[in-house]
Amino acid sequence: MQALAQLILPRGKTICTSMRDRIFYIRHIPLFLSTHRKSMIRSVSGFYLIPLLLVVLSCEKKPEIEIHLNQAGFHPLAAKTAAVTGNDISPTQIFHIVNTDSEEVAWSGRATDSGTWPWAGIRTAVIDFTELQTQGEYHIHGGKGLTISPSFAIRNTVYAGLSRAALRAFYFNRASIPLEPEYAGPWARAAGHPDTLILIHPSAVTVDRPAGTTISSPGGWYDAGDYNKYIVNSGISTYTLMVAYEHFPEFFGDLSAGIPESGDGIPDILSEARWNLDWMLTMQDHSDGGVYHKLTSPQFSGVVMPHEDTDPRYVVMKSTAAALNFTAVTAVAARVYETYDPGFAATCLSAARAAWEWAVAHPDVYYRQDKMNELYEPAIVTGEYGDTDVTDEFDWAAAELYLTTGATEYRDALNPEQLTDSLVPNWRDVRALACISIAHHLVPHGSMTGIHDLSPEDRALAESSVNCLMSLAGVLRDEYRSSALQVSMGHDRRDFVWGSNAVAMNHSILLIRAWQLTGERSWLDAALANLDYVLGRNPTGYSFVTGYGTRTPMHPHHRSSAAGNQPDPVPGFLVGGPQSGQQDGCAYPSNLPALSYLDDWCSYSTNEVAINWNAPLVYTTGALHAIFSGKNR
Ligand code: G3I
Ligand code: 9MR
């Protein structure tokens, strides 16, 4: 009967839809016959209509469900789940995982109803096919209803490839250098923003540097889809890349990213981070150790390629937040680059100490753009990265200086109890970064017993840092276990902020740290679940990394993608992701936090890219590859 229906109906269509449609068809049969009185039409229509009627009455309705999963794929040893969403989820429906090449069914099973995921208001069930470990290309077939998932791979190189792509995205966002075809392929472009003549903004004037004088501040990464360079956001981004190497040196030490420095004997992830560190160092005023908050044009540029943006650029006032981010990052650099370039490491350390001194002497110089604009011209309206609580930045900077130097003056600046008052890391909340670094350096992997060998002061720091990480990660794992979508994302409404996808990735970093402290597999599964989320196991149907998945952002708010002549955006970028703030006023498909996403240039609050969003993607994918392939040291 189904075959007959397929003969009658256009390809791909079915009449087995809703009960309302069935009633519609049946009601219209007498009308149809009475309006077609000619005998031939009557007999032909009778020939069709009787079987059609039988089909309508007998066939099953197509289930209105969708299958969402990680569209890039899974490591063979990873937990593997897909989310089925929709109101027609049936506990009896069998799903088949089909090998795309051989068309053979590799796995069959049911989905377990997991309830409604409130952030998308959507009924959800989970297919768990972890046991399928054979490498290949697959898709999931929903049986009679013909629901088919995006295709995906099971391959032991999936996460390594993603980590490489996410790292290469930093290269694509380099200022002051041409991107050569050899490294950038079709996204090659001219150098933009030489940044050798940067004006001192009136807010940044000193005796040595009066208004209108210039400094040279080339290099670094563009922050995001815009072309400005911000110290605060550089801080967490550069840190995350450097500690990815520090935590997983075997994998990241070997990772070749196909950048100009590849093959020079220095790990590519450190060469890429160095590109930004060299710029950050130019942002310090050597006369006092202070650090300018940002280097920017007064307004965001138009949608042009980097070399076409010739607006004047300024460094604006120094801020405590900038000095402390700078301190933390250069202190980490001083230990991470020690073996590769001791001279550079020493430069970083003295820069870190000087910036720390400046911050201690100026503990509350906040960057408040509106206030600054009341006093000085030109007005600056680009990203603010404003923060009026820098107690966490003080903790982070002190921790990194202590870990690098062992000098007790920095340890004494830390209150161990305060470390437990940490949030999921983001550009504004960095205390958890202190916990991550302290736990890594003072607590041997997988064992808490080692901390008894520490001095009482170090033990207090180590215990607080471990408590900080385990309690943050614990809440996230609880959410992962109870969530209908089986993700920690959404443990708090505030997860769906501007840059929500990076919230998911920073959750994963915390969960990976918990795994490294305990060796318990469940932390890893929770970390992986959020990677699945950003790569497609979410109700928008998008994999949020450009170029990686079957449905990926094609119109990110990224000037060098939008203004370039390539149809595809620059690959390897994680876009900001869903959030219901909708600050850009674009027309969104939904107000629900997890569905409020738009793949449109208009949507800078959900579809921009940014260095602080890509860095935790580099970390998470690289760490998971390292762990699954036994390179976790
Ligand atoms: O602090 C409040 C919190 O109290 C409140 O509950 C919450 C409700 O929405 O908002 C919180 O503030 C948000 C803030 O980020 C901190 O999360 C603001 O609403 C939100 O607008 C702000 O978004 C920032 C955005 O710039 C606008 O300033 C993003 O974090 C930040 O990633 C983004 O960064 C931009 C740069 O300015 C310019 N370059 C591109 C980059 C990425 O879009
Ligand atoms: O294009 C800008 C983007 O890179 C920034 O992240 C964003 C932050 O506020 O602002 C974008 O610029 C918009 C401006 O703020 C308001 N007018 C529209 C601009 C985008 O077209």
Side-chain angles (χ1 to χ4, degrees):
M1 201 58 81
Q2 293 282 342
L4 186 54
Q6 275 166 16
L7 266 180
I8 298 165
L9 294 164
R11 201 173 155 75
K13 293 260 191 257
T14 173
I15 57 169
C16 311
T17 52
S18 65
M19 184 56 74
R20 204 181 58 181
D21 290 350
R22 291 186 206 186
I23 292 166
F24 174 87
Y25 286 127
I26 293 164
R27 279 207 181 136
H28 284 72
I29 288 170
L31 179 68
F32 185 85
L33 289 175
S34 66
T35 52
H36 294 87
R37 295 207 169 274
K38 284 191 186 159
S39 61
M40 200 185 82
I41 295 178
R42 279 185 70 130
S43 63
V44 170
S45 55
F47 174 79
Y48 281 130
L49 281 168
I50 290 160
L52 260 177
L53 178 61
L54 291 172
V55 168
V56 166
L57 294 175
S58 68
C59 75
E60 282 175 31
K61 149 173 142 19
K62 179 184 174 191
E64 288 171 10
I65 57 171
E66 292 176 358
I67 301 175
H68 301 293
L69 49 63
N70 177 333
Q71 298 169 21
F74 305 85
H75 190 281
L77 300 177
K80 302 174 199 75
T81 53
V84 182
T85 59
N87 290 325
D88 291 342
I89 291 172
S90 153
T92 57
Q93 184 170 2
I94 310 263
F95 294 91
H96 305 286
I97 302 191
V98 180
N99 183 301
T100 307
D101 297 325
S102 68
E103 294 189 6
E104 281 173 14
V105 173
W107 184 93
S108 295
R110 293 186 170 83
T112 307
D113 200 336
S114 51
T116 294
W117 197 52
W119 308 114
I122 205 157
R123 203 173 143 213
T124 307
V126 173
I127 307 171
D128 186 337
F129 55 102
T130 303
E131 64 195 7
L132 178 59
Q133 296 194 345
T134 312
Q135 298 199 58
E137 297 289 325
Y138 299 94
H139 57 270
I140 303 184
H141 193 294
K144 270 189 195 164
L146 296 179
T147 305
I148 291 181
S149 77
S151 64
F152 62 94
I154 297 180
R155 234 172 257 302
N156 54 23
T157 52
V158 168
Y159 305 147
L162 281 163
S163 194
R164 179 179 191 271
L167 180 59
R168 279 172 57 72
F170 286 83
Y171 165 69
F172 282 117
N173 248 28
R174 285 187 188 184
S176 322
I177 187 178
L179 303 189
E180 304 292 353
E182 184 183 352
Y183 309 109
W187 296 280
R189 60 165 172 80
H193 306 92
D195 286 348
T196 48
L197 292 171
I198 300 301
L199 293 156
I200 302 287
H201 188 259
S203 62
V205 162
T206 54
V207 176
D208 295 338
R209 294 180 172 179
T213 50
T214 60
I215 63 167
S216 181
S217 189
W221 303 305
Y222 300 129
D223 182 55
D226 64 326
Y227 293 139
N228 304 301
K229 306 191 287 197
Y230 308 79
I231 286 290
V232 165
N233 204 40
S234 273
I236 187 167
S237 311
T238 313
Y239 168 84
T240 303
L241 294 188
M242 288 192 292
V243 297
Y245 170 76
E246 208 175 29
H247 299 169
F248 299 97
E250 202 178 331
F251 170 71
F252 283 109
D254 287 346
L255 179 65
S256 174
I259 57 177
E261 297 81 3
S262 294
D264 67 358
I266 298 171
D268 281 2
I269 194 166
L270 295 187
S271 298
E272 197 51 61
R274 170 105 186 233
W275 184 261
N276 202 58
L277 284 161
D278 283 339
W279 165 68
M280 288 180 86
L281 289 170
T282 69
M283 290 289 279
Q284 184 170 45
D285 179 351
H286 294 290
S287 71
D288 62 4
V291 179
Y292 301 111
H293 191 75
K294 61 176 174 175
L295 186 162
T296 183
S297 49
Q299 297 172 352
F300 290 112
S301 79
V303 190
V304 295
M305 290 303 278
H307 68 279
E308 295 168 319
D309 171 23
T310 53
D311 286 349
R313 283 154 76 88
Y314 294 82
V315 284
V316 299
M317 61 180 270
K318 296 161 189 164
S319 72
T320 311
L324 292 170
N325 268 276
F326 178 101
T327 302
V329 167
T330 46
V332 175
R335 59 176 189 260
V336 169
Y337 292 83
E338 175 64 33
T339 51
Y340 294 105
D341 189 341
F344 177 66
T347 301
C348 287
L349 186 55
S350 59
R353 287 183 192 275
W356 170 260
E357 293 305 326
W358 188 92
V360 169
H362 305 84
D364 53 5
V365 181
Y366 306 123
Y367 184 73
R368 289 189 170 112
Q369 197 152 270
D370 287 347
K371 285 207 173 344
M372 185 182 80
N373 286 339
E374 287 169 13
L375 299 173
Y376 305 108
E377 285 183 346
I380 305 286
V381 301
T382 52
E384 181 170 33
Y385 289 116
D387 187 355
T388 51
D389 176 355
V390 293
T391 57
D392 52 323
E393 280 79 5
F394 267 109
D395 284 352
W396 181 34
E400 301 299 355
L401 273 171
Y402 174 56
L403 293 169
T404 297
T405 63
T408 50
E409 64 176 297
Y410 303 122
R411 188 187 61 201
D412 294 345
L414 277 165
N415 173 357
E417 279 169 25
Q418 197 167 272
L419 290 176
T420 50
D421 185 21
S422 292
L423 299 168
V424 173
N426 63 77
W427 62 262
R428 210 165 54 156
D429 302 298
V430 294
R431 187 168 280 122
L433 305 182
C435 302
I436 288 173
S437 288
I438 294 169
H440 176 75
H441 284 276
L442 298 187
V443 182
H445 293 169
S447 155
M448 303 288 284
T449 52
I451 66 171
H452 297 302
D453 300 334
L454 301 174
S455 68
E457 292 84 0
D458 280 3
R459 197 185 312 160
L461 279 180
E463 281 172 354
S464 289
S465 297
V466 169
N467 289 342
C468 149
L469 295 178
M470 296 309 292
S471 67
L472 281 172
V475 172
L476 300 175
R477 186 178 60 177
D478 288 348
E479 177 65 19
Y480 154 77
R481 285 174 165 162
S482 63
S483 137
L485 200 60
Q486 289 190 4
V487 287
S488 66
M489 197 47 198
H491 88 295
D492 185 310
R493 168 168 275 277
R494 283 170 296 180
D495 285 355
F496 292 99
V497 286
W498 189 319
S500 64
N501 283 335
V503 174
M505 290 295 85
N506 279 309
H507 284 189
S508 293
I509 292 182
L510 291 171
L511 290 159
I512 288 165
R513 301 317 302 154
W515 174 82
Q516 210 151 29
L517 284 166
T518 62
E520 272 175 46
R521 169 78 193 219
S522 60
W523 301 110
L524 213 52
D525 293 342
L528 188 60
N530 274 5
L531 181 64
D532 289 347
Y533 167 88
V534 300
L535 289 167
R537 180 150 63 83
N538 69 70
T540 67
Y542 280 93
S543 162
F544 290 116
V545 179
T546 53
Y548 287 80
T550 42
R551 188 178 186 211
T552 59
M554 292 302 288
H555 310 286
H557 193 93
H558 182 228
R559 283 169 174 73
S560 62
S561 289
N565 50 20
Q566 284 307 306
D568 292 334
V570 175
F573 274 110
L574 179 67
V575 298
Q579 60 108 0
S580 48
Q582 304 185 355
Q583 292 95 328
D584 41 43
C586 311
Y588 285 88
S590 168
N591 289 330
L592 286 164
L595 291 175
S596 178
Y597 167 74
L598 201 59
D599 177 21
D600 194 300
W601 164 263
C602 168
S603 179
Y604 54 80
S605 75
T606 74
N607 207 32
E608 192 162 353
V609 307
I611 53 174
N612 61 317
W613 305 340
N614 250 59
L617 177 66
V618 172
Y619 185 110
T620 299
T621 46
L624 289 171
H625 178 85
I627 294 164
F628 284 123
S629 53
K631 289 184 169 184
N632 54 319
R633 288 286 182 274

